Amino acid sequence: NAGVTQTPKFHILKIGQSMTLQCTQDMNHNYMYWYRQDPGMGLKLIYYSVGAGITDKGEVPNGYNVSRSTTEDFPLRLELAAPSQTSVYFCATSGVVGEKLFFGSGTQLSVL
Amino acid sequence: AQSVTQPDIHITVSEGASLELRCNYSYGATPYLFWYVQSPGQGLQLLLKYFSGDTLVQGIKGFEAEFKRSQSSFNLRKPSVHWSDAAEYFCAVGEDTDKLIFGTGTRLQVFP
């Protein structure tokens, strides 16, 4: 079982460039989340989705956009990348609110 | 405001010693409580969770946690630590909503 798949695993961006982090799940989960993990800061929720066509902001949404056209995919878009967006990004899913999250293996992004 | 505090940033124990990782939360109602473990370069894996019922919860890998409402705590314990337990541990809380709040993590180092 693939579970939650994130691509790429590593990426380096130049300041001002844009890119999309991909997240795909094969568990038919309705809930999907994007977190960023900064050292000493724990995980912060960027955006989340409760189903196809529905997205909402989390704690730190500025500089990011998401879409959810299918149940399986929840891409995270960075526009005009800034050094402050250097982080490790985790996509996660859950089948039911309050139930455990299934995490992808993360994308390590550096903006230089 | 809701919050999660993991007071210990870094803990070092000897293999075979007992372990307790602290987690305190501030929440309006009885939340869902989770402990996740993150091995280097990996996503997060659920160790255990508490929703209701018995306040002592058993998890995977020999871990347990106890919910103490009077202390707003959900400390993680293990009677005998193994070298493979070296990792980052995150406490998380959530209500009947779509989002979890994560603590800043505790890094566990195990000496032989």
Side-chain angles (χ1 to χ4, degrees):
Chain A
N1 291 332
V4 182
T5 302
Q6 287 184 240
T7 56
K9 291 191 182 300
F10 305 93
H11 196 81
I12 298 174
L13 267 182
K14 293 183 179 178
I15 296 172
Q17 287 185 327
S18 300
M19 82 165 293
T20 299
L21 308 186
Q22 301 292 343
C23 177
T24 298
Q25 54 109 351
D26 63 0
M27 295 179 287
N28 201 34
H29 284 171
N30 284 325
Y31 297 88
M32 295 188 75
Y33 310 82
W34 274 106
Y35 289 90
R36 58 177 289 172
Q37 182 182 22
D38 301 316
M41 299 295 290
L43 288 95
K44 301 288 187 182
L45 182 64
I46 305 170
Y47 271 95
Y48 67 102
S49 168
V50 302
I54 306 170
T55 63
D56 205 348
K57 296 178 181 179
E59 190 178 358
V60 290
N62 292 342
Y64 306 94
N65 276 302
V66 293
S67 60
R68 184 91 183 274
S69 57
T70 66
T71 299
E72 293 78 20
D73 300 306
F74 190 42
L76 177 71
R77 178 82 177 164
L78 281 74
E79 305 281 2
L80 298 174
S84 62
Q85 293 177 303
T86 294
S87 187
V88 180
Y89 292 84
F90 286 99
C91 178
T93 75
S94 67
V96 177
V97 165
E99 277 290 343
K100 75 174 186 177
L101 297 175
F102 292 84
F103 284 85
S105 57
T107 295
Q108 189 168 321
L109 179 68
S110 297
V111 182
L112 305 174
Chain B
Q2 300 113 350
S3 66
V4 180
T5 302
Q6 292 182 246
D8 304 305
I9 297 173
H10 188 196
I11 284 183
T12 301
V13 300
S14 298
E15 191 170 19
S18 63
L19 173 70
E20 182 169 29
L21 303 182
R22 295 182 289 167
C23 174
N24 295 97
Y25 66 90
S26 173
Y27 227 81
T30 300
Y32 301 146
L33 296 159
F34 303 80
W35 274 99
Y36 284 86
V37 60
Q38 182 183 26
S39 297
Q42 303 294 314
L44 283 78
Q45 180 185 20
L46 179 70
L47 283 175
L48 48 80
K49 61 186 179 185
Y50 172 79
F51 286 177
S52 63
D54 191 348
T55 56
L56 185 62
V57 181
Q58 301 297 321
I60 63 171
K61 304 184 180 186
F63 285 92
E64 67 178 25
E66 186 172 12
F67 170 57
K68 293 186 177 179
R69 184 191 305 275
S70 62
Q71 299 176 17
S72 297
S73 69
F74 189 56
N75 295 347
L76 181 71
R77 301 193 296 248
K78 187 169 185 179
S80 179
V81 171
H82 188 262
W83 64 267
S84 60
D85 293 325
E88 188 99 19
Y89 291 81
F90 291 92
C91 179
V93 300
E95 204 178 67
D96 188 19
T97 63
D98 308 321
K99 301 179 287 287
L100 285 182
I101 299 173
F102 284 83
T104 52
T106 297
R107 176 163 293 182
L108 175 66
Q109 193 169 7
V110 181
F111 282 120

